[in-house]
Amino acid sequence: MASEGLNGPRVQFLANREGTVSALLNKVPNGVQNYYNEQVEAMAEALWELEVCGAAPVLPDDRVGGNAAFRLPIEGHEDAMVVSKSGKLGGVGFDVSKDACVVTGFDHKEWSSTYYSISDDVLPTSDTPMHYAALTAHSAYGWTEKPNAFLHGHALESAEAAQLHGLPISHEITTCSTPDDTKALMLLLKDYAYPAHKVFIRRGHGFVVLGKDVADALNTLRTQVLPAMESEIESTQH
């Protein structure tokens, strides 16, 4: 399945739906369900703040240029994560009962995912490959800590912004949702380890924030990303 964007399919990977989120959650312990409920509410807050502050602008097709994810500990699916849906409309709050997808696996060789959502027409965000790679990078690169949350918005995408604020930036501009796009981020993560670095810039795509949970990632957005955005706006006005 693919989600259509302004210039063609937004989701560039094969998305294999396996059922509803509620059915999946009914099979997990109460502690996991409680964690899901807590973090998905925090994700809704973070997504709204991303949009309101301009870090996730509304694109010409009226969809929001930003998304979020957090890891969900499910037995048998150690790398499962909750992601926001593809093609969220601007100006509308994130509906925790309808707009969240649980991705239980992503095959980077086949470029395909397995996921759960409320219905067949609700797909995981087009940036799922990037989310999945970043939230599992700790094992590949031997990080001392693993991130559990991910925020992304289409702001702070320029080399000037990266240089001004000392943020790592990728070298190439790539198409979203493609293997090249994820590879570009992973090259950054290889050279700039989390948690010493929590903010990364994808040239021409936007920023990425990693955190120990959604609240931590949102705090980094407020303390590092938003001040950088404000100073970038000021620099363009002079």
Side-chain angles (χ1 to χ4, degrees), residues 8 18 22 29 54 90 92 115 125 138 147 149 151 155 162 166-167 188 217 233 235 237:
E18 298 195 322
S22 58
V92 180
Y115 78 102
T125 172
H138 62 282
L151 299 180
L167 299 173
L188 270 183
I233 292 172
S235 67
Q237 294 175 341

Side-chain angles (χ1 to χ4, degrees), residues 74-237:
I74 299 179
E75 185 176 357
H77 300 288
E78 286 73 16
D79 292 325
M81 61 187 62
V82 181
V83 305
S84 50
K85 73 173 185 178
S86 173
K88 178 188 171 297
L89 283 170
V92 180
F94 181 84
D95 189 331
V96 296
S97 67
K98 299 178 180 178
D99 296 343
C101 301
V102 179
V103 177
T104 52
F106 194 91
D107 188 323
H108 283 85
K109 292 183 179 179
E110 298 294 331
W111 209 242
S112 65
S113 71
T114 52
Y115 78 102
Y116 292 77
S117 70
I118 192 169
S119 61
D120 288 332
D121 60 346
V122 176
L123 296 175
T125 172
S126 60
D127 284 321
T128 292
M130 195 167 66
H131 288 291
Y132 203 84
L135 293 183
T136 57
H138 62 282
S139 58
Y141 301 140
W143 293 347
T144 57
E145 297 181 27
K146 66 179 180 182
N148 292 308
F150 185 116
L151 299 180
H152 166 57
H154 290 196
L156 286 184
E157 60 183 18
S158 70
E160 291 77 13
Q163 183 176 10
L164 180 63
H165 301 287
L167 299 173
I169 184 171
S170 57
H171 296 291
E172 298 178 355
I173 296 177
T174 56
T175 301
C176 299
S177 201
T178 62
D180 285 343
D181 190 48
T182 296
K183 181 180 178 181
L185 176 62
M186 294 305 286
L187 289 174
L188 270 183
L189 299 180
K190 182 178 180 181
D191 292 336
Y192 299 92
Y194 172 89
H197 299 273
K198 294 184 176 182
V199 182
F200 310 84
I201 297 181
R202 282 285 294 104
R203 187 186 299 265
H205 187 173
F207 68 88
V208 167
V209 174
L210 299 180
K212 63 182 180 182
D213 55 23
V214 177
D216 181 50
L218 183 55
N219 181 64
T220 299
L221 173 80
R222 292 167 175 167
T223 57
Q224 294 189 43
V225 175
L226 297 189
M229 288 175 56
E230 290 172 1
S231 62
E232 186 178 30
I233 292 172
E234 291 174 358
S235 67
T236 61
Q237 294 175 341

